[in-house]
Amino acid sequence: MSVFPSIRLGSTGHYVRLLQADLNGLALNYNGFALDGHFDQKTSDAVKNFQDRFSLNRDGIVRNSTWKVLVDNVLAVQRLLKQNGYHAGYADGWFGATTTAAVIAFQKAHGLYPSGIVDPRTRQALFHPHDKDHYQNRPTSASLDSLNPHVAAMARRFLELTRANHMDVRIYTAFRSWDDEDRLFAQGRWTPGPIVTNARGGDSYHNWGLAFDAAPFENGAMTTDVSKFRLMGQLGKQVGLQWGGDFKSIVDYPHFQHTFGLNTWDLLDGVRPPGE
Ligand SMILES: [Zn+2]
């Protein structure tokens, strides 16, 4: 890769258009920034989410480290499309019109919604075409049995710890179906209500049995007391879980996860955590 310039909030021009095309093509344009070569706040937010995903410094500045990971991801998509016989143009790391057209052709041939962006289902069909464990077809469940066994064991230790602290904590979602995740993603975008997630089906740890949502109850009803959620979060962290109350993009007090250092693209690509 040649050396690209560092760009940031306020930058304009050719490389901002390249950045926006790549983020959009990789299905990371959650907030609908315009592909107009203006590095605005929405573009900056998308960059930060991308940096989070790859454990890069979350500063919103696109310098060599971020460029490399981004361009490598687009190159991987272009090469796979090509290997599958789709005309994706020269593999140049630019998610342009030719690559978009190839993605649409691939999606149509695989019964996927022809958005032209590599959404999680498209990613899985492209990167892990012979999926055997069918996570995308599992139903939503509140049962710990729907979780990865290691995560389920952590959840049980967490619940014991909450009881020892005289809290009535209940888990209300463990595995979440990909269809339900898509419905949540739609909320605030093309259905009513506030935006609650940036994850499409397949892009949440809930869709892989690596996350659950819990809440403290008082007198049989879920509490609205944020301090109780904070206490619950501290107890979850004591057993080694990541707590959504610490998230930067969308703070999520009921959410706990354990990722084994995998991001959801690893999972879509076919990498599996221990115990599976
Ligand atoms: Zn959650």
Side-chain angles (χ1 to χ4, degrees):
M1 191 181 105
S2 54
V3 177
F4 287 3
S6 291
I7 52 176
R8 63 179 76 201
L9 189 63
S11 298
T12 57
H14 174 79
Y15 286 98
V16 179
R17 271 194 295 277
L18 168 60
L19 169 75
Q20 291 173 326
D22 281 3
L23 289 171
N24 186 65
L26 294 172
L28 300 171
N29 189 0
Y30 316 110
N31 301 320
F33 57 71
L35 308 184
D36 61 358
H38 287 84
F39 200 128
D40 58 3
Q41 190 58 52
K42 285 181 175 179
T43 304
S44 177
D45 291 343
V47 167
K48 287 178 185 169
N49 282 343
F50 178 79
Q51 290 172 327
D52 272 347
R53 182 180 290 266
F54 285 95
S55 307
L56 295 157
N57 185 18
R58 186 185 204 279
D59 58 6
I61 302 171
V62 183
R63 49 171 71 87
N64 250 343
S65 47
T66 298
W67 273 126
K68 181 168 180 4
V69 180
L70 185 64
V71 168
D72 281 351
N73 270 284
V74 174
L75 285 171
V77 167
Q78 290 174 323
R79 290 188 188 120
L80 270 175
L81 285 167
K82 217 162 201 165
Q83 279 170 32
N84 282 277
Y86 295 88
H87 174 60
Y90 175 65
D92 57 0
W94 183 309
F95 210 114
T98 312
T99 304
T100 300
V103 171
I104 290 173
F106 176 85
Q107 288 169 324
K108 284 181 174 166
H110 290 79
L112 297 159
Y113 181 76
S115 59
I117 66 171
V118 185
D119 58 47
R121 290 168 201 264
T122 303
R123 184 171 191 93
Q124 179 165 269
L126 192 57
F127 285 75
H128 187 49
H130 305 297
D131 170 46
K132 296 279 195 297
D133 38 28
H134 303 298
Y135 280 87
Q136 74 274 22
N137 298 329
R138 296 186 189 180
T140 293
S141 172
S143 165
L144 295 185
D145 296 333
S146 68
L147 296 174
N148 168 281
H150 293 284
V151 179
M154 294 173 93
R156 287 190 185 95
R157 284 204 298 281
F158 159 69
L159 288 176
E160 280 167 21
L161 195 55
T162 59
R163 279 193 290 275
N165 282 271
H166 312 291
M167 294 181 82
D168 176 15
V169 166
R170 303 183 194 177
I171 290 176
Y172 60 91
T173 306
F175 187 90
R176 185 182 298 129
S177 79
W178 292 29
D179 285 346
D180 283 344
E181 193 71 47
D182 280 334
R183 278 188 277 277
L184 282 181
F185 181 80
Q187 184 181 313
R189 293 188 170 88
W190 45 89
T191 64
I195 285 179
V196 289
T197 183
N198 285 333
R200 295 175 173 82
D203 205 17
S204 160
Y205 287 108
H206 282 289
N207 306 146
W208 299 95
L210 302 181
F212 61 86
D213 296 331
F217 278 64
E218 289 174 314
N219 307 315
M222 191 184 292
T223 181
T224 52
D225 182 346
V226 172
S227 69
K228 298 270 167 35
F229 276 90
R230 285 190 205 285
L231 177 56
M232 177 185 80
Q234 292 309 315
L235 298 175
K237 287 157 75 168
Q238 277 181 36
V239 304
L241 292 159
Q242 287 178 310
W243 177 47
D246 293 332
F247 287 178
K248 301 286 191 299
S249 49
I250 296 181
V251 177
D252 191 356
Y253 289 110
H255 182 93
F256 294 92
Q257 65 185 31
H258 183 67
T259 69
F260 300 94
L262 302 173
N263 71 37
T264 53
W265 287 3
D266 297 322
L267 295 158
L268 291 161
D269 294 356
V271 183
R272 293 290 174 266
E276 292 179 42

